[in-house]
Every structure is written in structure tokens, then in C-alpha cells.
Amino acid sequence: MQTPVDIKPAMHCYACEPARLKVVDFPNPRVWSAMDEDWKLPKNWKEIVMDAFKDRLDRFRTFKLFMDICVRCGACADKCHFFIGSADPKNMPVLRAELIRSVYRRNFTAAGKVFGKLAGARDLDYGVLKEWWYYLYQCSECRRCSVFCPYGIDTADITIIGREFTNLLGLNIDWIAAPVAFCYRTGNHLGIQPHAYKSMLEFFQDEIEEVTGVRVEPSYNRKGAEILFITPSGDVFADPGTYTCMGYMILFHELGLDVTWSTYASEGGNFGLFTSHEMMKRLNAKMYMEAKRLGVKWILGGECGHMWRVINQYMATMNYDIAEGSKLEEPVSPLTGTKFESAKGTKMVHITEFTADLIKHNKLKLDPKRNDKVKVTFHDSCNPARAMGLLEEPRYVIKNVCNHFYEMPSTTIREQTFCCGGGSGLNAGEDVELRMRGGLPRANAVKFVHDKYGVNMLSCICAIDRAVLPDLMKYWVPEAGVCGVHELVANAMVLEGEKEKTVDLRNEPLAETEDAEDV
Amino acid sequence: MHIIISLTVSFLAVFGLVVIAFFGVWAAHLEWLFGVVIPYLAVITFFVGMVYKVVQWARCPVPFRITSTCGQQKTLPWLKRTYVDKLDNPSSTAGAVGRMILEVLCFRSLFKNTRLEFGSGQEIKYKSAKWLWLGAIVFHYAFLIVLLRHIRFFAQPEPFFVPLIENIDGFFQMFVPALYQSGFLLGAALTYLLLRRILDGKMRYISLPADYFPLFMILGLVTTGILMRYLLKVDIVAVKELTLGLAQFRPVVPEGIGVLFYIHLFLVSVFFAYFPFSKLTHMAGVFLSPTRNLSNNSRMVRHINPWNYPVKVHTYEAYEDEFREKMIDAGLPVDKESASPAE
Ligand code: SF4
Ligand code: SF4
């Protein structure tokens, strides 16, 4: 820990621009860069951090406890994908936490005050702060370490709180600060304004019609709808998420679901989670505010990873008071009558739960052969796996819409799944080395099933995955594509009034005979 | 801190304690200090310190339910969950209790440990790695048994379970005195845990003096204990007189107990006093860890955050005000038709 931090290019993200911070009234907006000597901190930055430190110790039992009880047994050490890929010892979860813990000892424990360095304590100085920043933004808050820790020490939670400290000094990264600012104002990370949102979906309507011969008609901001649908805006914006988005649209149309999209609550993701608890709450509030305004009965959520950590673990706690007096009620599938008892608190159902239930009750006409050219494996996104436990639903769906499904090795899936390398707002372009290193364990497992079974499609239920994994695959396993689960669903669906299908949603031929040779 | 410094400092600290006790009793004849005063102070420090710690943790709120889920969630009624799922992703308090019991008694998470290995080329392997689990579990249980055996020094008559433990623990009755496995297992496990820290590069990097010190400390305890029992016998009747006196709050210091005993007792005392100020508090902390001891039911039942406070949000009205014209042009419904006074 004595080795001073060496901030390397391509291993960190660019500093936040001042305009982003102004939108959400965050402190210390200015132009700065992590490579600069001077980060232009407020004069009393140490005091700000120490006050916040004390405050968080009093408010979060996790933080307080995790500062005290780590025994440095090392069980978590080689569990972090960033450590595996970078071999930087400070990327061992235990050490990432020690960077902060050392300062805790110095300032808040008797042993640290008396014995100083001998007790593993150190003062917070400029170098230490920079080191915090570098390694806090090299943790994707994936929680893999917490699974193996005998006390469940969740380094992600420490990172979340550590990032709160950096945000008090204006030290966010732009890849997080920008989506936060956009989301606050326009409702979604990408800053898509209402009319543009609609025209993007209109473009998908045309695409869908071209492929299937069926015209789907989504509705927007419609009062009195039964269901409000919220998905990450990444699905609306970038391939291959767009195909998943078309998948949702096709599904809703075919079911005749009384569902509306919202241009205001047009973001499922929540980069506030990567900023501060307060920012998370500020952004999340839109879901219930919009549900109440539109008078819907329940909310259906799209395929997104960290979105579901927020919905499962924070949303009701933070914001349910907003929903008081609304028409929200325990979600019931209008097609199968299934009560989603497990969502009776939040009133929000995951789309793979919804679709799995439809399939179970034979409500979809499926022809899995239409997916025969893909040999699929499934990447558990960190948050649905380790902060929710959504493991079987997507698998059930995939197995019913695809004939060829292969699991990656058991040490790399389900609760032991590996991060895509770009979670928690690290999916920028400038930190590509960090992403390729962090994604190595995931890519390696894909390569394994590719070599063994000829897997050529990596499916996932996360918009960040869909943005990050294609680059990762291009680098490590170029033969594998990336798709969302509902892209596969829609491709297998037999629609009423469809024309003879020859291509899939990507406008690629359904069955590729040439493919046979490279298997 | 460099490994050599860490090791030296921790070793010297323990050695220093031994020297202090030795001279304190052998040269300065401070039997009362080492046999009565310090043990009492240590036990008080231990209890007050631990209670303080636990109260501090317990008073700290758990604002969010951030269970680490390691199995299938409770969801659709037709989706079956295994027992393992119910434990690793508990949806009820019973499940969470079960999870905690397995964690505390069987070190379940450590049991899942894997070891990373790089194969040829790009290959990465994760091998099952049970040694740490084995070392840890042997260490803790052996320590527990040794502690329980010591009850016979502090209770008259001995509680029924003490002779029972002794019988199970003392193998090969042909030896006199009976050899207790626990002491030796404890020593072996400690040696393993120590060597692991020294030999594994990752462990060396993360280890602090605060990690070596307790290991040396307990090694010191075990060594002095074993020496006393099997080699350099101390006057056991006199020892019991002293310890019973301590337990019954009628301290006596009988003549002729060997200095080795005082060294042992001093190490025990320091160990107890050190406990609440160190990572050893994990003994109590493990029960309070919110990622493990809470069920994952926050979608079913609202978890209440005692310090939840209102925040500034961007309302729909503000949003519509900014984009109204564009929304109307795009045919999107609005709450207020264009109210722009300029028209
Ligand atoms: S596994 Fe837990 S206790 Fe062990 S070093 Fe990691 S955080 Fe600390
Ligand atoms: S949360 Fe994930 S990225 Fe962060 S330290 Fe743990 S394993 Fe590494």
C-alpha cells in the first residue's frame, strides 16, 4: 500500500465536465483531468471527506461493520475480474477496501490512533485521495467478492460509499456524470428528448414491419394504461440492444397488452447508483411519479442489470411513499392470471419473469427452429444474479425459444458470474484497456464454450452488457455475437398475420447453410 | 508494510510480552499483578469492549436491504427452488437464520472458495480450494474445545460437558497425561494459516502486523500451554486454586506456581484485552452482517430506512414545461395544452 498510485491512461475514465454537475447541483464544477497534478479541489477537501466519512459510518451498518471485521483472509482476493485481468494487487477486493479502511483506522479507531502504521493506519493525503479515486473507479460494483467472503463483506458497497466521497469533491467521471445529468433532465441517460424517443421507436416499427409484415403500435405517456413499461434507454439507442427493444414491442403487440411507454420515465438504468445514494433516489423517483400520474396498475421492467439492483434493493425503501395514493397494486399477468407475489411490494415485474410465465402457460406461439443458427450461452449479469437472484427465469425463456443452449462452466455463471468489464459506469471508450482486462474472465468462459460446442451467441439481460460485450467479444472471441433474451424470443415468435419470415430482426437470413462449415 | 518488518514487529511484540511476564514474576515477584490484577482488567476490557463494539454496530441503522443473493430468488409460483436456493437466497427469516447457522457453524462461504490458475495460453481455471476452509474450521473448533476444556479451572464442580469433551479430545488413553488432540490441531492449523500468509504472494501483500500478531499470540498460548501440560509441569493444584479464586472473586495467589504459568496467563490476558480493538471482533460482527443475515424480500415487503429524507427531483411538470411544444408536434399527449402566454 506504500507504493504510490500511478494513474495510467486507458485504465481510467475521463473526468466529469462541469456542466454535468451544475444540472444536478453537485459541488465543485470545474474543468479538470485525472492526469493533472492539480485536481482543483476545494480548500477544505479533507474536512469534507472526513465529515462525510463519519456521517456514513453512523448511517450505514454495512460500512461501519465492513471497516471493522475484515480479517484479511484473502478468500476474496482472486475473485475480482479486475484483479484477474490486471494483476494489480490493489484490485484485490480486500485491498481496494483497505485503501479506505486504512484511513478509517487512523481517524476512527483507538488502535490506529495509537499505533499508526503498525496498525495498518494512514493519513488521508492528496496521494491517497487520488489512489482512492483510481481504484474506486476500477471496481464495477459487481459483488462477486461478497459471495466468497465469510462475512459477506461487500466491497461494492464500500465502493458505492467511497464514490459518494469523491462526488462531494466534484471527482466523478464523465461517463457517469453525463448520464446522470441527462437522465435528470430528459428522463434517460442518453438525453433523448420526447419527440426523438418516439421517432426512434417509429423506426423500429418500420423495421419490424419489414421483417415480419406486422405493424406494431406502441403508445406513449398514455393515462389509464394497465402497465407502464420501463427499459434502459440503451435498448432504444444502440445495437444490439435495439433488437431486444424490437423484441419487447413485438411481444406486447402480439399479446395485445395494455401497456404504455413513457418518455419521461424513459430510463430503467440508474447511474445514480454509481454516484451517491441520494442521486440514485432522485433519479429513481421518476418511476413511481410516472406510474402514479398515468394511473397504471403495475410496472414492467426491461432487461437491465443494475436497474434491477436498484428496483430490488432500494426502490421501495427510497421512494414508495411517492406511490401512496396511486392505482398501483399487486401485479397480475393479464394473460395467465399469475400473481407476482414476489413483487407485491414494489409493484414491478421483470420482463423475463413475465415472459417465462407466458411460456409456461402456452400463451406464446413459438418456433424455436427459427433460432437454429445460433448456439446460445447465457451471461448472468452481476446485479440480477447477486443482488436479486434472477437465475432461472431467463434460462427458462431461452431454452424454450432456442434449440441450442449451452452453459458456461459453473464457476463463471449464476452467483459466481463474472462482470462484463464495464459495469458501474465504466463502459466508456477511453478506459478500453481496463475493460478488456476486466472482461477477460468472462470472455475466457465464452471462448471455452465456443471451442467446445461452437457457441456463437452470448445472450444477456443487461443493457450495459449489450454495450460492453460486443467489444469484448471482438477482442477475445470474435466468433461470438451478443444479444438480449427478448431478441431471441421475438425471433422465435410466430405472429398472427405475419408474412413468411426469411430474416431475423437483424435482417440476417434465418438459416445459414454456409454457417455449417465454421462450426 | 514489508513482510519482514511485519513479522518481526509482531513476533517481537509477543516475545516482549513473554519477557515482561517472566521478569515481572521471576525477578520482581509481581504475582498479584500478573495473577490477579491484569487478568481482571483484561476480562473487563474484553467484555466492556465487545459490548461497546456490538452496541455501536447494532445502533447503526441498516438503511437498505442489500442481501448478497447466491441462489434462485423466490418468484413465480411454478418455479421450484431447491433447499440450497432457499438458504442462499432466503425469502423468509427462517431461511436467513438457516443461512447464518451454516455460515457461523460451517463457514459455508469459505467452503465455496475457488483458486485461480492460469493454464496454457489464454486459459483460466478455477479449482476448488478447500484448504483455507479446512485450516479455518480446524483452527476455530480446536480453539473452542481448548477453551471449553479450560472451564475446569474455573468451575467447581466441573460442568458435565467438560469431562465429556476431555474424553473425546484425549486420544490414546495409554499416555499419561492424556494427549489432547485439540491443542496439537490448533497448533497445526495456526502454522498453516501463518505459512499461508508468508508463502502466498497475494497474502503477503495484504497482511498487516495486525494479522501476524494474533497468530503469534495464539501460538504463544498454545506453546506455553503444551509445555506446561506435558513437559515443564507446573503445580496444577495451586493453579486451580488461583483460577478458582479468580472465578469466585476471592483471589488468592498460592506459592510455588511455576513462572511458565504466569507467562501463559499474561498472554491470555493481553489476548483478551486486545480482542475488542482488533479484527478479532469478527467473532461478534459476523452475526450482524446485513448482506448475510437479511432475507431478500424487499420487493415483497417495503424495507424501512429510518433516515430516509426527501430529495430534489425533476417533476413531470417541469419536464413537460421544457418539452411541451416538441411533444405536441410529435403527437405525444400532454397534461397542459400549450399555455405559452406569448401566443
Ligand atoms: S474474504 Fe472478506 S474477510 Fe476475507 S479478506 Fe476478503 S473481505 Fe476480508
Ligand atoms: S465488487 Fe466486483 S469489481 Fe468490485 S472489488 Fe468486488 S469483485 Fe472486484
Side-chain angles (χ1 to χ4, degrees), chain A residues 83-146:
Chain A
F83 174 67
I84 297 174
S86 74
D88 181 340
K90 289 176 190 169
N91 267 327
M92 288 188 270
V94 41
L95 217 92
R96 197 187 308 285
E98 283 289 315
L99 300 178
I100 294 183
R101 215 178 265 125
S102 52
V103 173
Y104 164 75
R105 287 196 201 99
R106 171 90 248 178
N107 292 278
F108 301 101
T109 71
K113 281 179 191 157
V114 177
F115 293 108
K117 261 195 196 157
L118 279 181
R122 62 175 180 171
D123 284 312
L124 177 62
D125 60 28
Y126 218 112
V128 170
L129 180 75
K130 288 187 171 180
E131 188 181 46
W132 276 11
W133 183 86
Y134 191 56
Y135 291 102
L136 286 172
Y137 292 92
Q138 277 190 17
C139 164
S140 57
E141 302 179 356
C142 77
R143 315 185 92 201
R144 190 168 193 268
C145 43
S146 110

Side-chain angles (χ1 to χ4, degrees), chain A residues 319-330:
Chain A
N319 281 325
Y320 200 79
D321 19 14
I322 297 174
E324 302 294 353
S326 70
K327 294 213 175 76
L328 286 171
E329 55 186 50
E330 179 177 335

Side-chain angles (χ1 to χ4, degrees), chain A residues 131-189:
Chain A
E131 188 181 46
W132 276 11
W133 183 86
Y134 191 56
Y135 291 102
L136 286 172
Y137 292 92
Q138 277 190 17
C139 164
S140 57
E141 302 179 356
C142 77
R143 315 185 92 201
R144 190 168 193 268
C145 43
S146 110
V147 167
F148 294 93
C149 173
Y151 318 116
I153 292 180
D154 183 8
T155 307
D157 200 56
I158 299 176
T159 298
I160 288 172
I161 290 175
R163 286 189 184 184
E164 291 203 10
F165 301 158
T166 64
N167 270 287
L168 294 171
L169 307 175
L171 295 179
N172 207 341
I173 60 173
D174 205 53
W175 199 259
I176 297 175
V180 163
F182 279 135
C183 191
Y184 190 69
R185 192 179 136 237
T186 65
N188 57 71
H189 290 161

Side-chain angles (χ1 to χ4, degrees), chain A residues 175-176 179-180 189 269-275 283 306 424-425 427 464:
Chain A
W175 199 259
I176 297 175
V180 163
H189 290 161
N270 189 331
F271 274 37
L273 170 65
F274 314 139
T275 304
L283 296 181
H306 74 282
S424 84
N427 51 327
I464 292 185

